Amino acid sequence: MSNRKRSALFTLLCLCILIPTTLILGSRLKGRWYYLTSTLIVVEAMIPFFYAFEIRKPKAGELVTVAVLAALAAVSRGAFAFLPHFKPVVGIIMIVGIAFGGEVGFLTGAIAAFASNFFFGQGPFTPWQMMSYGMGGFLAGAVFHRSWEKWEKKKLFPVALGSFGFLSVLLLVGPLLDICSLFTMSSTLSWDFAIACLSSGFFVNLTHSLSTLLTLLLLGKPLLAKLKRLQSKYGIWER
Amino acid sequence: MAKRDPFSEYHPLVCFLFFLTVILMGTVVRHPAYVLAGCVASGWYYGLLKGRGLLTMLLRLLPLLLLVSLLNPLFNPRGEHVLLRIFGRAFTWESLCFGFVTAGSFAQTILWFGCYNTVLTGDKFTSLFGNLIPALSLLLVMVLRMMGEQTRKLKQILHARSGIGKGITEQNSRREKLLHGMTALSALTDRALEGSIVTGNSMKARGYGCGRRTNFHSRRLRVGEWLCLLLFLFLLALTLCLGGMEAEFEPVIRTDPLGLGFLAYCGLLGVPIVLRIKESILWHILKYGI
């Protein structure tokens, strides 16, 4: 079997067997099992991405490039010390996803979140953060990876990138993190608490999505050009 | 008192299993006694590891815990004994208790993770998973190293920019601050990516991908560690089999009576603390012997 088929089969196995089993088992148990169940599902949803990366046996240069970009995303806040609350992390992860494809984008996001938590402290939110940052990169790759070179010349390309980033952080990346606090802090699940959690995170998410918009608007084109050069000159993550 | 923490020097597998178990149990079980035991054990071990750090941690946690325990009853009006009404909603004694338990299990999770961060450092984590996920664990090691390196490079770039009169201060407008940051980030990307090609070539030249990988921490489980692991698994099995972890809060509070299962759980939580105490007793005996 080719690597591609193996990873597709594995993904299917995870989605169709592992996750439903966890859900059924989790709903049968009493107590505060929902945090555990939800976190397990988040972890299980990440496994196929990691597995695909492992069996692909990446070249040394590709491995180092992903490491460099993940580290860059993790430390990027340092460049904006004078602008509190400005977080360019997800923007950079999205650019990686667009240039190298959704899977690499996911990996960069997940590793960046995990590694930066070694410095800021791991917590019950770690898998959720990995998932949400990874999803940011994956989504950007899924939407733009195939066609960005065609659209690149258009004048509105950075604006399109920015607005995509804005919406996906506001609607997906941010709320995923809020859902984690819902599971860790509430004693019983209720819609009221969920709405309170999501709305209390709204302004944080708004500033987060604004900074993603600005990052993609200003850094999108230059960074994409640099990554494209790596691709064409050194054959790193070629399609 | 001896400053060494024996549990931190144990095989990463033992440490990882311990933290995995106590964190999972801590988030799942909602029996008040179990939660209290978890809080005491995690706080005690955190104090042993960090000393004064425990106080600052508790001060930081306290407002959050109050918020969690007082917020929950607002969203959960079930329960028999109504304490007061806020905006027409019942604020009941039962759900307040439930809120305290939730806050307790939140606190012990945070404290256990604090201990985890000190005990299981990045290199131990990768040595544990190095052969299961070789590419990913190598990736993690590289990212952890590069984060320090790139922070340093970023500082150099910012210094260089201020050296040629393009530095930024509080007086600059937001637009200038933003553009300044973007330029610095762009320069950092160039520098880091250029290095990545060199590193990749060098790895290839030194034979990356040929044969099995070895680790910085190369060691097997010692006899004492096997014993500790077996004792730990035995206590875990006792806790799970004897049960008595159920508690209900609605409509009235009802908890399982405490039994041997609780003692086993306390033993389970106390493993690192007992090891530490044993070490310091041994140390005192040795000192008197001189």
Side-chain angles (χ1 to χ4, degrees):
Chain A
M1 240 191 294
S2 73
N3 278 350
R4 218 186 181 96
K5 269 187 193 160
R6 255 168 68 194
S7 106
L9 191 74
F10 190 79
T11 310
L12 218 64
L13 214 71
C14 260
L15 288 181
C16 297
I17 299 176
L18 214 58
I19 291 178
T21 323
T22 317
L23 270 177
I24 292 167
L25 274 181
S27 63
R28 290 280 168 82
L29 292 162
K30 274 192 195 167
R32 293 185 69 239
W33 285 93
Y34 46 82
Y35 169 71
L36 189 61
T37 316
S38 55
T39 307
L40 264 180
I41 287 173
V42 166
V43 172
E44 282 161 10
M46 284 193 285
I47 290 174
F49 288 102
F50 295 145
Y51 182 73
F53 184 73
E54 280 295 341
I55 63 170
R56 206 193 129 135
K57 294 234 159 47
K59 286 188 277 181
E62 297 177 334
L63 206 66
V64 185
T65 310
V66 172
V68 162
L69 291 167
L72 186 79
V75 304
S76 59
R77 262 199 76 165
F80 301 94
F82 282 109
L83 283 174
H85 310 300
F86 189 87
K87 284 185 275 187
V89 186
V90 179
I92 292 174
I93 291 164
M94 282 178 163
I95 295 171
V96 177
I98 294 167
F100 294 155
E103 283 174 23
V104 183
F106 184 93
L107 197 77
T108 313
I111 291 282
F114 191 47
S116 70
N117 281 350
F118 270 101
F119 290 89
F120 299 113
Q122 307 283 0
F125 48 79
T126 301
W128 293 81
Q129 204 180 10
M130 288 169 75
M131 184 72 184
S132 71
Y133 283 12
M135 273 327 270
F138 180 71
L139 211 67
V143 174
F144 287 104
H145 178 53
R146 282 176 195 284
S147 49
W148 72 270
E149 280 169 331
K150 259 186 283 170
W151 299 342
E152 188 192 18
K153 299 282 181 297
K154 299 249 166 64
K155 229 180 180 175
L156 280 178
F157 179 66
V159 180
L161 273 187
S163 37
F164 167 80
F166 181 82
L167 285 179
S168 51
V169 172
L170 193 65
L171 300 178
L172 184 82
V173 177
L176 254 176
L177 287 171
D178 295 335
I179 290 174
C180 170
S181 54
L182 164 72
F183 282 127
T184 43
M185 291 196 185
S186 75
S187 53
T188 45
L189 291 180
S190 67
W191 284 111
D192 289 353
F193 203 106
I195 290 165
C197 251
L198 287 178
S199 52
S200 72
F202 179 75
F203 282 102
V204 179
N205 289 341
L206 193 68
T207 49
H208 196 181
S209 25
L210 272 177
S211 36
T212 311
L213 180 134
L214 287 171
T215 313
L216 284 170
L217 208 61
L218 297 171
L219 210 59
K221 262 181 112 172
L223 201 55
L224 276 173
K226 283 167 197 169
L227 296 183
K228 191 175 156 191
R229 174 173 164 272
L230 274 191
Q231 250 172 346
S232 52
K233 187 172 178 186
Y234 298 102
I236 282 169
W237 297 114
E238 267 177 316
R239 3 187 136 192
Chain B
M1 197 162 146
K3 284 281 176 224
R4 268 174 65 227
D5 181 52
F7 190 65
S8 306
E9 289 164 16
Y10 265 38
H11 193 277
L13 180 70
V14 185
C15 302
F16 186 76
L17 277 181
F18 174 79
F19 282 114
L20 191 70
T21 318
V22 293
I23 288 170
L24 288 186
M25 294 288 276
T27 52
V28 162
V29 176
R30 54 179 184 177
H31 193 299
Y34 281 70
V35 172
L36 192 66
C39 284
V40 169
S42 57
W44 192 350
Y45 191 42
Y46 193 86
L48 284 178
L49 285 174
K50 299 253 170 116
R52 287 277 175 86
L54 178 65
L55 271 181
T56 44
M57 184 68 169
L58 286 181
L59 280 180
R60 261 193 294 165
L61 265 177
L62 213 59
L64 204 61
L65 295 182
L66 272 178
L67 191 75
V68 169
S69 46
L70 293 180
L71 260 183
N72 266 300
L74 281 181
F75 292 98
N76 183 16
R78 282 170 289 182
E80 294 262 290
H81 301 84
V82 178
L83 291 179
L84 64 154
R85 289 190 175 273
I86 299 172
F87 305 122
R89 302 191 67 146
F91 193 94
T92 64
W93 166 244
E94 281 81 5
S95 61
L96 185 64
C97 289
F98 202 178
F100 279 128
V101 168
T102 310
S105 80
F106 181 71
Q108 62 166 311
T109 314
I110 299 289
L111 285 169
W112 280 131
F113 266 114
C115 303
Y116 173 98
N117 288 328
T118 322
V119 172
L120 265 168
T121 42
D123 52 327
K124 286 190 194 166
F125 181 85
T126 46
S127 81
L128 199 54
F129 289 101
N131 286 321
L132 188 67
I133 41 170
L136 281 170
S137 65
L138 179 61
L139 192 62
L140 185 67
V141 174
M142 284 198 284
V143 174
L144 287 177
R145 183 187 79 96
M146 282 171 186
M147 277 172 70
E149 183 190 311
Q150 291 193 12
T151 313
R152 211 166 47 242
K153 282 181 180 169
L154 186 65
K155 275 195 192 130
Q156 287 171 354
I157 291 169
L158 294 175
H159 270 303
R161 275 178 70 77
S162 65
I164 56 168
K166 291 200 167 183
I168 215 87
T169 53
E170 278 301 334
Q171 279 84 43
N172 290 79
S173 70
R174 275 197 190 165
R175 197 186 127 80
E176 283 167 336
K177 286 178 194 168
L178 185 69
L179 289 178
H180 170 79
M182 289 295 172
T183 318
L185 210 54
S186 184
L188 177 66
T189 320
D190 275 344
R191 221 175 141 183
L193 283 176
E194 212 55 56
S196 85
I197 297 299
V198 178
T199 315
N201 286 342
S202 151
M203 275 168 72
K204 204 170 146 195
R206 285 156 206 242
Y208 167 75
C210 317
R212 206 165 149 270
R213 273 188 44 218
T214 50
N215 282 311
F216 177 67
H217 278 278
S218 70
R219 48 175 294 196
R220 287 159 190 231
L221 281 161
R222 294 196 204 109
V223 182
E225 290 163 353
W226 269 116
L227 284 179
C228 178
L229 190 63
L230 286 179
L231 177 75
F232 175 73
L233 291 176
F234 175 69
L235 285 173
L236 179 64
L238 263 187
T239 314
L240 291 178
C241 294
L242 291 172
M245 297 184 280
E246 286 297 327
E248 272 177 33
F249 292 87
E250 297 139 1
V252 281
I253 300 178
R254 192 198 61 75
T255 55
D256 283 351
L258 295 177
L260 273 177
F262 181 66
L263 277 183
Y265 186 62
C266 290
L268 185 82
L269 293 172
V271 168
I273 301 167
V274 170
L275 282 174
R276 180 74 175 247
I277 292 173
K278 193 193 107 198
E279 184 87 0
S280 68
I281 290 173
L282 262 180
W283 173 241
H284 277 285
I285 292 173
L286 283 175
K287 258 206 317 202
Y288 281 117
I290 293 171

